[in-house]
Each structure stands twice: as structure tokens, then as C-alpha cells.
Amino acid sequence: MIVTLGDGSTVTGSHCLVCVGSIPNTTDIGLEAAGVEVTRSGHIKVDGVSRTSAPNVYAAGDCTGVFALASVAAMQGRIAVAHLGGDGVSPLKLNKVSSNIFTSPEIASVGVSEADIASGRCQGDVVKLSLKTNARAKMRNVDDGFIKIIARKGTGTVIGGVVVGTGACELIFPIALAVAQNLHVDDVANTFTVYPSLSGSISEAARRLHVHM
């Protein structure tokens, strides 16, 4: 099979995966009668703690029109249960959702991107370390990939990151934790990592973003 791309180049392969999106299956299930408001696209309207427009009715998952990620659906559900039970919860923060593309190598990201910095939407400093410099990567014969951390300019708060490489979906978690908890790059840099380990490059990138006071 040969596929011609928009720029005229071709890609040869044995299979073609077509992603056409999805639509919510919310028609004729009694939402209107229950007072649950839906959007024109059929998605259920929810607020930051998963409440719908009907009292004591919550919704979570792809039907809400939020990011179609299992991790987001699960978080929406946990927030809904906690809020319904009277626990104190923080609203869902979509700007702190981590995601992964399961290619080879994997591509994981969280928070502010380098494109956001380049466009001026955010002010930040960026450090990118190739995994070629990592001792554990050398042991595994890993040549491809890098770790990138983005910190807010002037303050050093971690606001974003990218990991490209084998196991990126695992390595993005400490960066996502730093973004979610507004950690300083020094908090990351001064936390012990195992040596040798791929996560050591996360700590090293944070060290290079130290803000001199």
C-alpha cells in the first residue's frame, strides 16, 4: 500500500489506520427529561467538578466533550465521587493533563509547550537534554530521544515538559507531578534519582534551569 501525502511525498506500508473521531451516544436516553443540558454536538455539559445542570447528577468521560483520554475520564470520575461525598476537591485542570503518543519512540508531554513560549503566550526557559548523554540509555543502546523541561522565566517554577524515547509514558510522570504541584526546578534537581537511570536526565535538566538569586 502506498499513500500520497499532501506535500507529494509517499509512505509505503501494509496497513492504513484511519482516525475519523467519534460522536457522543447521548440521544434518547432521558437526559432532557432529567434536566441534564447537552451541547449542540450532543456532549453533556459539566463544570470543573463533573456536575451537570441537574442537581446531584454528574458525568465523566468522552460524553462530556473534555479530552478523550482514559486518564481524564478517570480523574473526572474520582472528582465527581469525592465532590458528591462532600470531600474537598480541586476542579479539573486541563492545562496540567499529561498525554502520550505510543509511537516508536514514544512522545509524552505535559503543560506549557515550547510553541507557547515561542508565540509569546507564556514566558519561560527551556532545557533539552538528549538521552545520548544518559548512562542508562547507553546501557540499553538507546540513541533516540530527549527530555525537555520548561520553567517559568524569572521564578523557576516547572510549567511544562516533553519526553521522547522508550518508556516516555512513564518518564513524563515526575514532570507532570512538578507541573501539577507548582514545584520549583530546584525541588526537582535536589531530589535524589537512581544512578544510572533515565530519570536522572530529568534531574539534570532541572539543574540546568536553576535560577541564580
Side-chain angles (χ1 to χ4, degrees), residues 53-94:
S53 55
N56 298 320
V57 178
Y58 293 73
D62 296 357
C63 66
T64 64
V66 185
F67 292 163
L69 297 172
S71 57
V72 173
M75 185 65 77
Q76 283 182 296
R78 287 190 289 269
I79 290 173
V81 171
H83 189 269
L84 184 62
D87 286 345
V89 294
S90 298
L92 183 70
K93 296 180 175 64
L94 294 178

Side-chain angles (χ1 to χ4, degrees), residues 112-126 150 153:
V112 171
S113 68
E114 194 166 0
D116 293 327
I117 303 299
S119 68
R121 192 179 74 82
C122 296
Q123 298 296 314
D125 297 309
V126 183
I150 302 172
K153 185 176 290 293

Side-chain angles (χ1 to χ4, degrees), residues 22-47:
S22 61
I23 57 175
N25 187 18
T26 57
T27 305
D28 298 327
I29 62 173
L31 294 177
E32 293 81 1
V36 176
E37 189 176 353
V38 298
T39 66
R40 291 183 61 184
S41 62
H43 291 95
I44 299 172
K45 286 187 176 182
V46 294
D47 63 10

Side-chain angles (χ1 to χ4, degrees), residues 26-190:
T26 57
T27 305
D28 298 327
I29 62 173
L31 294 177
E32 293 81 1
V36 176
E37 189 176 353
V38 298
T39 66
R40 291 183 61 184
S41 62
H43 291 95
I44 299 172
K45 286 187 176 182
V46 294
D47 63 10
V49 292
S50 303
R51 290 178 297 191
T52 70
S53 55
N56 298 320
V57 178
Y58 293 73
D62 296 357
C63 66
T64 64
V66 185
F67 292 163
L69 297 172
S71 57
V72 173
M75 185 65 77
Q76 283 182 296
R78 287 190 289 269
I79 290 173
V81 171
H83 189 269
L84 184 62
D87 286 345
V89 294
S90 298
L92 183 70
K93 296 180 175 64
L94 294 178
N95 62 335
K96 297 184 178 182
V97 173
S98 56
S99 60
N100 191 68
I101 303 173
F102 290 92
T103 49
S104 181
E106 295 178 10
I107 306 169
S109 61
V110 65
V112 171
S113 68
E114 194 166 0
D116 293 327
I117 303 299
S119 68
R121 192 179 74 82
C122 296
Q123 298 296 314
D125 297 309
V126 183
V127 162
K128 174 182 173 183
L129 288 183
S130 170
L131 288 179
K132 288 182 179 180
T133 65
N134 182 283
R136 185 64 173 169
K138 292 178 181 178
M139 293 176 184
R140 293 181 173 182
N141 292 319
V142 173
D143 294 325
D144 297 327
F146 61 83
I147 288 173
K148 180 189 299 181
I149 295 181
I150 302 172
R152 193 174 303 282
K153 185 176 290 293
T155 69
T157 302
V158 181
I159 56 176
V162 178
V163 178
V164 175
T166 302
C169 64
E170 310 291 348
L171 288 171
I172 198 64
F173 180 71
I175 303 176
L177 185 63
V179 171
Q181 300 302 317
N182 297 312
L183 297 184
H184 192 276
V185 289
D186 290 350
D187 295 325
V188 179
N190 295 331

